[in-house]
Amino acid sequence: MYALKKGQENNYTNQKNQPALIDPAVIRAAGQIYHTYCEVHPEMTGQASGVAINRFNHRGKVIFTHQPVLLPQECFVPLNQIESYMY
């Protein structure tokens, strides 16, 4: 319905390809959630795709699908980002 200007179109496509920046505190909390899950369920390690976490209260759950459905206040922290933040 609305036509994008040439400059706006390039900005939109560039933003779509870049991952969203996540607060380091949220990544740390997601790492703690994943670490706790791995301690409680040692037989299930390596199968998760990441953690869905609330940005405000840092409560979250380990997710096993690659395209999770999130609530408006949640964000998804992929497992590779959690692991890279630990090192």
Side-chain angles (χ1 to χ4, degrees):
M1 181 173 200
Y2 296 103
L4 294 174
K5 293 180 183 177
K6 198 176 230 181
Q8 289 177 337
E9 182 178 338
N10 289 339
N11 288 339
Y12 178 73
T13 55
N14 288 341
Q15 289 175 357
K16 193 174 187 180
N17 293 333
Q18 293 178 352
L21 296 176
I22 302 174
D23 181 17
V26 172
I27 297 173
R28 276 193 299 276
Q32 290 176 333
I33 292 167
Y34 180 69
H35 179 71
T36 302
Y37 179 84
C38 289
E39 285 182 345
V40 174
H41 303 284
E43 71 282 353
M44 299 290 283
T45 59
Q47 298 177 2
S49 62
V51 175
I53 187 166
N54 185 305
R55 290 186 301 260
F56 305 113
N57 62 16
H58 296 177
R59 295 180 71 188
K61 294 186 178 193
V62 177
I63 302 294
F64 294 92
T65 61
H66 291 288
Q67 294 181 338
V69 178
L70 302 172
L71 296 172
Q73 66 273 17
E74 290 181 329
C75 67
F76 179 72
V77 182
L79 189 58
N80 60 1
Q81 192 168 12
I82 292 170
E83 290 173 343
S84 68
Y85 195 79
M86 290 178 167
Y87 300 111

Coordinates of all heavy atoms in Angstrom, one line a residue:
M1 N 0.8 -1.2 0.0 CA 0.0 0.0 0.0 C 0.9 1.2 0.0 O 0.6 2.2 -0.7 CB -0.9 0.0 1.2 CG -1.8 1.2 1.3 SD -3.0 0.9 2.6 CE -4.2 2.0 2.1
Y2 N 1.9 1.3 0.8 CA 2.8 2.4 0.9 C 4.1 2.1 0.2 O 4.7 1.0 0.3 CB 3.2 2.8 2.3 CG 2.0 3.2 3.1 CD1 1.3 2.4 4.0 CD2 1.4 4.5 3.0 CE1 0.2 2.8 4.8 CE2 0.3 4.9 3.7 CZ -0.2 4.1 4.6 OH -1.3 4.5 5.3
A3 N 4.6 3.0 -0.6 CA 5.8 2.8 -1.4 C 7.0 3.3 -0.5 O 6.9 4.4 0.1 CB 5.8 3.5 -2.7
L4 N 8.0 2.5 -0.4 CA 9.2 3.0 0.3 C 10.1 3.7 -0.6 O 10.3 3.4 -1.8 CB 10.0 1.8 0.8 CG 9.3 1.0 1.9 CD1 10.1 -0.3 2.2 CD2 9.1 1.8 3.2
K5 N 10.8 4.7 -0.1 CA 11.8 5.4 -0.8 C 13.0 4.5 -1.0 O 13.2 3.6 -0.2 CB 12.2 6.7 -0.1 CG 11.1 7.8 -0.1 CD 11.5 9.0 0.6 CE 10.4 10.0 0.8 NZ 10.8 11.2 1.5
K6 N 13.8 4.8 -2.0 CA 15.0 4.0 -2.2 C 15.9 3.9 -1.0 O 16.3 2.8 -0.7 CB 15.8 4.6 -3.4 CG 16.7 3.6 -4.0 CD 17.4 4.3 -5.2 CE 17.3 3.3 -6.4 NZ 17.9 3.9 -7.6
G7 N 16.2 4.9 -0.3 CA 17.0 4.9 0.9 C 16.4 4.1 2.0 O 17.0 3.4 2.8
Q8 N 15.1 4.2 2.2 CA 14.4 3.5 3.3 C 14.4 2.0 3.0 O 14.4 1.2 3.9 CB 12.9 4.0 3.4 CG 12.8 5.4 4.0 CD 11.4 5.9 4.0 OE1 10.6 5.4 3.2 NE2 11.1 6.9 4.8
E9 N 14.2 1.6 1.8 CA 14.2 0.2 1.4 C 15.5 -0.5 1.8 O 15.5 -1.6 2.4 CB 14.0 0.1 -0.1 CG 13.8 -1.4 -0.5 CD 13.5 -1.5 -2.0 OE1 13.1 -0.5 -2.6 OE2 13.8 -2.5 -2.6
N10 N 16.6 0.2 1.6 CA 17.9 -0.4 1.9 C 18.1 -0.5 3.5 O 18.6 -1.5 4.0 CB 19.1 0.4 1.3 CG 19.1 0.2 -0.2 OD1 18.6 -0.8 -0.7 ND2 19.8 1.1 -0.8
N11 N 17.6 0.5 4.2 CA 17.7 0.4 5.7 C 16.8 -0.7 6.2 O 17.2 -1.4 7.1 CB 17.2 1.7 6.3 CG 18.3 2.8 6.1 OD1 19.4 2.6 5.8 ND2 17.8 4.1 6.1
Y12 N 15.7 -0.9 5.6 CA 14.8 -2.0 6.1 C 15.4 -3.3 5.9 O 15.4 -4.2 6.7 CB 13.4 -1.9 5.4 CG 12.5 -3.0 5.8 CD1 11.9 -2.9 7.1 CD2 12.2 -4.0 5.0 CE1 11.0 -3.9 7.5 CE2 11.3 -5.0 5.4 CZ 10.8 -5.0 6.6 OH 9.9 -6.0 7.0
T13 N 15.9 -3.6 4.7 CA 16.5 -4.9 4.4 C 17.8 -5.1 5.3 O 18.0 -6.2 5.7 CB 16.8 -5.1 2.9 OG1 17.7 -4.0 2.5 CG2 15.6 -5.1 2.1
N14 N 18.6 -4.1 5.5 CA 19.7 -4.3 6.4 C 19.3 -4.6 7.8 O 20.0 -5.4 8.4 CB 20.6 -3.0 6.3 CG 21.3 -2.9 5.0 OD1 21.4 -3.8 4.2 ND2 21.8 -1.7 4.7
Q15 N 18.3 -3.9 8.3 CA 17.9 -4.2 9.7 C 17.3 -5.6 9.8 O 17.4 -6.2 10.8 CB 16.8 -3.2 10.1 CG 17.4 -1.8 10.3 CD 16.3 -0.8 10.6 OE1 15.1 -1.1 10.6 NE2 16.7 0.4 10.9
K16 N 16.7 -6.1 8.8 CA 16.1 -7.4 8.8 C 17.1 -8.5 8.9 O 16.9 -9.5 9.5 CB 15.2 -7.6 7.6 CG 14.3 -8.8 7.6 CD 13.4 -8.8 6.4 CE 12.4 -9.8 6.5 NZ 11.5 -9.8 5.3
N17 N 18.3 -8.3 8.3 CA 19.3 -9.3 8.3 C 20.2 -9.3 9.5 O 20.9 -10.2 9.8 CB 20.2 -9.1 7.0 CG 19.4 -9.4 5.8 OD1 18.5 -10.2 5.8 ND2 19.9 -8.8 4.7
Q18 N 20.2 -8.2 10.3 CA 21.1 -8.1 11.4 C 20.3 -8.6 12.7 O 19.1 -8.3 12.8 CB 21.5 -6.6 11.7 CG 22.4 -6.1 10.6 CD 22.7 -4.6 10.8 OE1 22.1 -4.0 11.7 NE2 23.6 -4.1 10.0
P19 N 21.0 -9.3 13.6 CA 20.3 -9.8 14.8 C 20.1 -8.6 15.7 O 20.8 -7.6 15.7 CB 21.4 -10.8 15.4 CG 22.7 -10.4 14.8 CD 22.4 -9.8 13.4
A20 N 19.0 -8.7 16.5 CA 18.7 -7.7 17.4 C 19.7 -7.7 18.6 O 20.2 -8.7 19.0 CB 17.3 -7.9 18.0
L21 N 20.0 -6.5 19.1 CA 21.0 -6.4 20.2 C 20.2 -6.7 21.5 O 19.1 -6.2 21.7 CB 21.5 -4.9 20.3 CG 22.4 -4.5 19.1 CD1 22.8 -3.1 19.3 CD2 23.6 -5.4 19.0
I22 N 20.8 -7.5 22.3 CA 20.2 -8.0 23.6 C 21.0 -7.5 24.7 O 22.3 -7.5 24.7 CB 20.1 -9.5 23.6 CG1 19.3 -10.0 22.4 CG2 19.5 -10.0 24.9 CD1 19.2 -11.5 22.3
D23 N 20.4 -7.0 25.7 CA 21.0 -6.5 26.9 C 21.9 -7.6 27.6 O 21.5 -8.7 27.7 CB 19.9 -6.0 27.9 CG 20.5 -5.5 29.2 OD1 21.7 -5.1 29.3 OD2 19.7 -5.4 30.2
P24 N 23.2 -7.2 27.9 CA 24.0 -8.2 28.5 C 23.5 -8.9 29.8 O 23.7 -10.1 30.0 CB 25.3 -7.5 28.8 CG 25.3 -6.3 27.8 CD 23.8 -6.0 27.7
A25 N 22.7 -8.1 30.5 CA 22.1 -8.7 31.8 C 21.1 -9.8 31.4 O 21.0 -10.8 32.1 CB 21.4 -7.6 32.6
V26 N 20.4 -9.6 30.3 CA 19.4 -10.6 29.8 C 20.2 -11.9 29.3 O 19.8 -13.0 29.6 CB 18.5 -10.0 28.7 CG1 17.7 -11.1 28.1 CG2 17.7 -8.9 29.3
I27 N 21.3 -11.6 28.7 CA 22.1 -12.8 28.2 C 22.6 -13.6 29.4 O 22.6 -14.8 29.4 CB 23.2 -12.3 27.3 CG1 22.6 -11.7 26.0 CG2 24.1 -13.5 26.9 CD1 23.7 -11.0 25.1
R28 N 23.1 -12.9 30.4 CA 23.6 -13.6 31.6 C 22.5 -14.4 32.3 O 22.7 -15.5 32.7 CB 24.2 -12.6 32.6 CG 25.7 -12.2 32.3 CD 26.3 -11.4 33.5 NE 25.6 -10.2 33.8 CZ 25.8 -9.0 33.2 NH1 26.7 -8.9 32.2 NH2 25.1 -7.9 33.5
A29 N 21.3 -13.8 32.4 CA 20.2 -14.5 33.0 C 19.8 -15.7 32.2 O 19.5 -16.7 32.8 CB 19.0 -13.5 33.2
A30 N 19.8 -15.5 30.9 CA 19.5 -16.7 30.0 C 20.5 -17.8 30.2 O 20.2 -19.0 30.2 CB 19.4 -16.2 28.6
G31 N 21.8 -17.4 30.3 CA 22.8 -18.4 30.6 C 22.6 -19.1 31.9 O 22.9 -20.3 31.9
Q32 N 22.2 -18.4 32.9 CA 22.0 -19.1 34.2 C 20.8 -20.0 34.1 O 20.8 -21.1 34.6 CB 21.7 -18.0 35.3 CG 22.9 -17.3 35.7 CD 22.6 -16.2 36.7 OE1 21.5 -15.7 36.7 NE2 23.6 -15.8 37.5
I33 N 19.7 -19.6 33.3 CA 18.6 -20.5 33.1 C 19.0 -21.8 32.4 O 18.6 -22.9 32.8 CB 17.5 -19.7 32.4 CG1 16.9 -18.6 33.3 CG2 16.4 -20.7 31.9 CD1 16.0 -17.6 32.5
Y34 N 19.8 -21.6 31.3 CA 20.2 -22.7 30.6 C 21.1 -23.6 31.4 O 21.0 -24.9 31.4 CB 20.9 -22.3 29.3 CG 21.4 -23.4 28.4 CD1 20.5 -24.3 27.8 CD2 22.7 -23.7 28.3 CE1 20.9 -25.3 27.0 CE2 23.2 -24.8 27.5 CZ 22.3 -25.6 26.9 OH 22.7 -26.6 26.2
H35 N 22.1 -23.0 32.1 CA 23.0 -23.8 33.0 C 22.2 -24.6 34.0 O 22.5 -25.8 34.2 CB 24.0 -22.9 33.7 CG 25.0 -23.6 34.5 ND1 26.0 -24.4 34.0 CD2 25.1 -23.6 35.9 CE1 26.7 -24.9 35.1 NE2 26.1 -24.4 36.2
T36 N 21.2 -24.0 34.7 CA 20.4 -24.7 35.7 C 19.7 -25.9 35.0 O 19.6 -27.0 35.6 CB 19.4 -23.7 36.3 OG1 20.2 -22.7 36.9 CG2 18.6 -24.5 37.4
Y37 N 19.1 -25.6 33.8 CA 18.4 -26.7 33.1 C 19.3 -27.9 32.8 O 19.0 -29.0 33.0 CB 17.8 -26.1 31.8 CG 17.1 -27.2 31.0 CD1 15.8 -27.5 31.3 CD2 17.7 -27.9 30.0 CE1 15.1 -28.5 30.6 CE2 17.1 -28.9 29.3 CZ 15.8 -29.2 29.6 OH 15.1 -30.2 28.9
C38 N 20.6 -27.6 32.4 CA 21.5 -28.6 32.1 C 21.9 -29.4 33.3 O 22.1 -30.6 33.2 CB 22.8 -28.0 31.4 SG 22.5 -27.4 29.7
E39 N 22.0 -28.8 34.4 CA 22.3 -29.5 35.7 C 21.1 -30.4 36.1 O 21.4 -31.5 36.6 CB 22.6 -28.5 36.8 CG 23.9 -27.8 36.7 CD 24.2 -26.9 37.9 OE1 23.2 -26.5 38.6 OE2 25.3 -26.5 38.1
V40 N 19.9 -29.9 35.9 CA 18.8 -30.7 36.3 C 18.5 -31.9 35.4 O 18.0 -32.9 35.7 CB 17.5 -29.8 36.5 CG1 16.3 -30.6 36.8 CG2 17.8 -28.8 37.6
H41 N 18.7 -31.6 34.1 CA 18.4 -32.6 33.0 C 19.7 -32.9 32.2 O 19.8 -32.4 31.0 CB 17.3 -32.0 32.1 CG 16.1 -31.7 32.7 ND1 15.2 -32.6 33.2 CD2 15.5 -30.5 33.1 CE1 14.1 -32.0 33.7 NE2 14.3 -30.7 33.7
P42 N 20.6 -33.6 32.8 CA 21.9 -33.8 32.0 C 21.8 -34.6 30.8 O 22.6 -34.5 29.8 CB 22.8 -34.5 33.1 CG 21.8 -35.1 34.0 CD 20.6 -34.2 34.0
E43 N 20.7 -35.4 30.7 CA 20.5 -36.2 29.5 C 20.0 -35.4 28.3 O 20.0 -35.9 27.1 CB 19.5 -37.4 29.8 CG 18.1 -37.0 29.9 CD 17.8 -36.3 31.3 OE1 18.6 -36.3 32.2 OE2 16.6 -35.9 31.5
M44 N 19.5 -34.2 28.5 CA 18.9 -33.4 27.4 C 19.9 -32.3 26.9 O 19.4 -31.5 26.1 CB 17.7 -32.7 27.9 CG 16.6 -33.7 28.4 SD 15.9 -34.6 27.0 CE 14.8 -33.3 26.4
T45 N 21.1 -32.3 27.2 CA 22.0 -31.2 26.8 C 22.2 -31.3 25.3 O 22.3 -32.3 24.7 CB 23.3 -31.2 27.5 OG1 24.0 -32.5 27.3 CG2 23.2 -31.0 29.0
G46 N 22.4 -30.1 24.7 CA 22.7 -30.0 23.3 C 21.5 -30.0 22.3 O 21.6 -29.8 21.1
Q47 N 20.3 -30.2 22.8 CA 19.1 -30.2 22.0 C 18.3 -28.9 22.0 O 17.5 -28.7 21.1 CB 18.2 -31.4 22.4 CG 18.8 -32.7 22.3 CD 17.9 -33.8 22.9 OE1 16.8 -33.6 23.3 NE2 18.4 -35.0 22.8
A48 N 18.6 -28.0 22.9 CA 17.9 -26.8 23.0 C 18.4 -25.8 21.9 O 19.5 -25.9 21.4 CB 18.1 -26.1 24.3
S49 N 17.5 -24.9 21.5 CA 17.8 -23.9 20.5 C 18.1 -22.5 21.2 O 18.7 -21.6 20.6 CB 16.7 -23.7 19.5 OG 15.5 -23.3 20.0
G50 N 17.7 -22.3 22.4 CA 17.9 -21.1 23.1 C 17.0 -20.9 24.3 O 16.4 -21.9 24.8
V51 N 16.8 -19.7 24.8 CA 16.0 -19.4 26.0 C 15.1 -18.2 25.6 O 15.6 -17.2 25.1 CB 16.9 -19.0 27.2 CG1 16.1 -18.6 28.4 CG2 17.8 -20.2 27.6
A52 N 13.8 -18.4 25.9 CA 12.9 -17.3 25.8 C 12.8 -16.7 27.2 O 12.6 -17.3 28.2 CB 11.5 -17.8 25.4
I53 N 13.1 -15.4 27.3 CA 13.2 -14.7 28.6 C 12.5 -13.4 28.6 O 12.5 -12.6 27.6 CB 14.7 -14.5 29.0 CG1 14.9 -14.0 30.4 CG2 15.5 -13.7 27.9 CD1 16.3 -14.2 30.9
N54 N 11.9 -13.1 29.8 CA 11.3 -11.8 30.0 C 12.3 -10.7 30.2 O 13.2 -10.9 31.0 CB 10.3 -11.9 31.2 CG 9.5 -10.6 31.4 OD1 10.0 -9.5 31.5 ND2 8.2 -10.8 31.5
R55 N 12.3 -9.6 29.4 CA 13.3 -8.6 29.5 C 13.3 -7.8 30.8 O 14.3 -7.2 31.1 CB 13.1 -7.6 28.3 CG 13.4 -8.2 27.0 CD 13.4 -7.1 25.9 NE 12.1 -6.5 25.8 CZ 11.1 -6.8 24.9 NH1 11.4 -7.7 24.0 NH2 10.0 -6.2 24.9
F56 N 12.2 -7.9 31.5 CA 12.0 -7.0 32.7 C 12.3 -7.8 34.0 O 13.0 -7.3 34.9 CB 10.6 -6.4 32.8 CG 10.3 -5.6 31.5 CD1 9.3 -6.1 30.7 CD2 11.1 -4.5 31.2 CE1 9.1 -5.4 29.5 CE2 10.8 -3.8 30.0 CZ 9.8 -4.2 29.2
N57 N 11.8 -9.0 34.2 CA 12.0 -9.7 35.4 C 13.0 -10.9 35.2 O 13.2 -11.6 36.2 CB 10.7 -10.2 36.0 CG 9.9 -11.2 35.1 OD1 10.5 -11.7 34.2 ND2 8.7 -11.4 35.4
H58 N 13.5 -11.2 34.0 CA 14.5 -12.2 33.7 C 14.1 -13.6 34.1 O 14.9 -14.4 34.4 CB 15.8 -11.8 34.4 CG 16.4 -10.6 33.9 ND1 17.6 -10.1 34.4 CD2 16.1 -9.7 33.0 CE1 17.9 -8.9 33.8 NE2 17.0 -8.7 32.9
R59 N 12.8 -13.9 34.0 CA 12.3 -15.2 34.1 C 12.2 -15.8 32.7 O 11.7 -15.1 31.8 CB 11.0 -15.2 34.8 CG 11.0 -14.8 36.2 CD 9.7 -14.8 36.9 NE 9.3 -16.2 37.2 CZ 8.1 -16.5 37.6 NH1 7.2 -15.6 37.9 NH2 7.9 -17.8 37.8
G60 N 12.6 -17.0 32.5 CA 12.5 -17.6 31.2 C 12.5 -19.1 31.2 O 12.5 -19.8 32.2
K61 N 12.4 -19.7 30.0 CA 12.3 -21.1 29.8 C 13.2 -21.5 28.6 O 13.4 -20.8 27.7 CB 10.9 -21.5 29.5 CG 10.0 -21.3 30.6 CD 8.6 -21.9 30.3 CE 7.7 -21.7 31.5 NZ 6.5 -22.5 31.5
V62 N 13.8 -22.7 28.7 CA 14.6 -23.3 27.6 C 13.6 -23.7 26.5 O 12.6 -24.3 26.7 CB 15.4 -24.5 28.1 CG1 16.2 -25.1 27.0 CG2 16.4 -24.0 29.2
I63 N 14.0 -23.3 25.3 CA 13.2 -23.5 24.1 C 13.9 -24.5 23.2 O 15.1 -24.5 23.0 CB 12.9 -22.2 23.3 CG1 12.3 -21.2 24.3 CG2 12.1 -22.4 22.1 CD1 10.9 -21.5 24.7
F64 N 13.1 -25.4 22.6 CA 13.6 -26.5 21.7 C 13.2 -26.3 20.2 O 13.7 -27.0 19.4 CB 13.1 -27.8 22.2 CG 13.7 -28.2 23.6 CD1 13.0 -27.9 24.7 CD2 15.0 -28.8 23.7 CE1 13.6 -28.2 26.0 CE2 15.5 -29.1 24.9 CZ 14.8 -28.8 26.0
T65 N 12.4 -25.3 19.9 CA 12.0 -25.1 18.5 C 12.9 -23.9 18.0 O 13.4 -23.1 18.8 CB 10.5 -24.7 18.4 OG1 10.3 -23.5 19.1 CG2 9.7 -25.8 18.9
H66 N 13.0 -23.8 16.7 CA 13.9 -22.8 16.1 C 13.1 -21.5 15.9 O 13.7 -20.4 15.7 CB 14.5 -23.2 14.8 CG 15.5 -24.3 15.1 ND1 16.8 -24.1 15.6 CD2 15.5 -25.6 14.9 CE1 17.4 -25.2 15.7 NE2 16.7 -26.2 15.3
Q67 N 11.8 -21.5 15.9 CA 11.0 -20.3 15.7 C 10.0 -20.2 16.9 O 8.8 -20.5 16.7 CB 10.3 -20.2 14.4 CG 11.3 -20.1 13.2 CD 10.5 -20.1 11.9 OE1 9.4 -20.5 11.8 NE2 11.2 -19.6 10.9
P68 N 10.4 -19.8 18.1 CA 9.5 -19.7 19.2 C 8.5 -18.6 19.1 O 8.7 -17.6 18.5 CB 10.4 -19.5 20.4 CG 11.6 -18.8 19.8 CD 11.7 -19.3 18.4
V69 N 7.3 -18.8 19.7 CA 6.3 -17.8 19.8 C 6.5 -17.1 21.1 O 6.6 -17.7 22.2 CB 4.9 -18.4 19.8 CG1 3.8 -17.4 19.9 CG2 4.7 -19.2 18.5
L70 N 6.7 -15.8 21.1 CA 7.1 -15.0 22.3 C 6.0 -14.0 22.6 O 5.2 -13.5 21.8 CB 8.4 -14.2 22.0 CG 9.6 -15.0 21.6 CD1 10.7 -14.0 21.2 CD2 10.0 -15.9 22.7
L71 N 5.9 -13.8 23.9 CA 5.0 -12.7 24.4 C 5.7 -11.4 24.1 O 6.9 -11.3 23.9 CB 4.8 -12.9 25.9 CG 4.1 -14.2 26.4 CD1 4.1 -14.3 27.9 CD2 2.7 -14.2 25.8
P72 N 4.9 -10.3 24.2 CA 5.5 -8.9 23.8 C 6.7 -8.5 24.7 O 7.6 -7.9 24.2 CB 4.3 -8.0 24.0 CG 3.1 -8.8 23.9 CD 3.5 -10.2 24.4
Q73 N 6.7 -8.9 25.9 CA 7.8 -8.5 26.8 C 9.0 -9.5 26.8 O 10.0 -9.3 27.5 CB 7.3 -8.3 28.2 CG 6.9 -9.5 29.0 CD 5.4 -9.8 28.7 OE1 4.8 -9.3 27.8 NE2 4.8 -10.7 29.5
E74 N 8.9 -10.5 26.0 CA 9.9 -11.6 25.9 C 10.9 -11.3 24.7 O 10.5 -10.7 23.8 CB 9.3 -13.0 25.8 CG 8.6 -13.4 27.1 CD 8.1 -14.8 26.9 OE1 7.7 -15.2 25.8 OE2 8.0 -15.5 27.9
C75 N 12.1 -11.9 24.9 CA 13.0 -12.0 23.7 C 13.6 -13.4 23.7 O 13.6 -14.1 24.7 CB 14.0 -10.9 23.8 SG 15.2 -11.0 25.2
F76 N 14.1 -13.7 22.6 CA 14.7 -15.1 22.4 C 16.2 -14.9 22.3 O 16.7 -14.1 21.5 CB 14.2 -15.7 21.1 CG 14.8 -17.1 20.9 CD1 14.4 -18.1 21.7 CD2 15.7 -17.3 19.9 CE1 15.0 -19.4 21.4 CE2 16.2 -18.5 19.6 CZ 15.9 -19.6 20.4
V77 N 16.9 -15.6 23.2 CA 18.4 -15.6 23.2 C 18.8 -16.9 22.7 O 18.6 -18.0 23.3 CB 19.0 -15.4 24.6 CG1 20.5 -15.3 24.6 CG2 18.4 -14.1 25.2
P78 N 19.4 -17.0 21.5 CA 19.8 -18.2 20.9 C 21.0 -18.9 21.7 O 21.8 -18.2 22.3 CB 20.3 -17.9 19.5 CG 20.1 -16.4 19.3 CD 19.6 -15.9 20.6
L79 N 21.1 -20.2 21.6 CA 22.1 -20.9 22.4 C 23.5 -20.5 22.0 O 24.4 -20.4 22.9 CB 21.9 -22.4 22.2 CG 22.7 -23.3 23.1 CD1 22.4 -23.0 24.6 CD2 22.4 -24.8 22.8
N80 N 23.7 -20.2 20.7 CA 25.1 -19.9 20.3 C 25.5 -18.5 20.9 O 26.7 -18.3 21.2 CB 25.3 -19.8 18.8 CG 24.3 -18.9 18.1 OD1 23.5 -18.2 18.7 ND2 24.4 -18.9 16.8
Q81 N 24.5 -17.6 21.1 CA 24.8 -16.3 21.8 C 25.1 -16.5 23.3 O 26.0 -15.9 23.8 CB 23.7 -15.3 21.5 CG 24.1 -13.9 21.9 CD 23.1 -12.9 21.4 OE1 22.0 -13.3 21.0 NE2 23.4 -11.7 21.5
I82 N 24.4 -17.4 23.9 CA 24.6 -17.7 25.3 C 26.0 -18.3 25.5 O 26.8 -17.9 26.4 CB 23.5 -18.7 25.9 CG1 22.2 -18.0 25.9 CG2 23.9 -19.2 27.2 CD1 21.0 -18.9 26.2
E83 N 26.4 -19.3 24.7 CA 27.7 -19.9 24.8 C 28.8 -19.0 24.5 O 29.8 -19.0 25.1 CB 27.7 -21.1 23.9 CG 26.8 -22.2 24.4 CD 26.7 -23.4 23.4 OE1 27.1 -23.2 22.2 OE2 26.3 -24.5 23.8
S84 N 28.6 -18.1 23.5 CA 29.7 -17.2 23.1 C 29.9 -16.1 24.2 O 31.0 -15.6 24.4 CB 29.5 -16.5 21.8 OG 28.3 -15.6 21.9
Y85 N 28.9 -15.8 24.9 CA 28.9 -14.8 26.0 C 29.7 -15.4 27.2 O 30.3 -14.7 28.0 CB 27.5 -14.3 26.4 CG 27.6 -13.1 27.2 CD1 27.8 -11.8 26.6 CD2 27.4 -13.1 28.6 CE1 27.8 -10.7 27.4 CE2 27.4 -11.9 29.3 CZ 27.6 -10.7 28.7 OH 27.6 -9.6 29.5
M86 N 29.6 -16.7 27.4 CA 30.2 -17.3 28.6 C 31.7 -17.3 28.4 O 32.5 -17.3 29.4 CB 29.8 -18.8 28.7 CG 28.3 -18.9 29.1 SD 27.9 -20.7 29.2 CE 26.4 -20.6 30.1
Y87 N 32.3 -17.3 27.2 CA 33.7 -17.4 27.0 C 34.4 -16.1 26.8 O 34.1 -15.1 26.5 CB 34.1 -18.3 25.9 CG 33.5 -19.7 26.2 CD1 32.5 -20.3 25.4 CD2 34.1 -20.5 27.2 CE1 32.0 -21.5 25.7 CE2 33.6 -21.8 27.4 CZ 32.6 -22.3 26.7 OH 32.1 -23.5 26.9

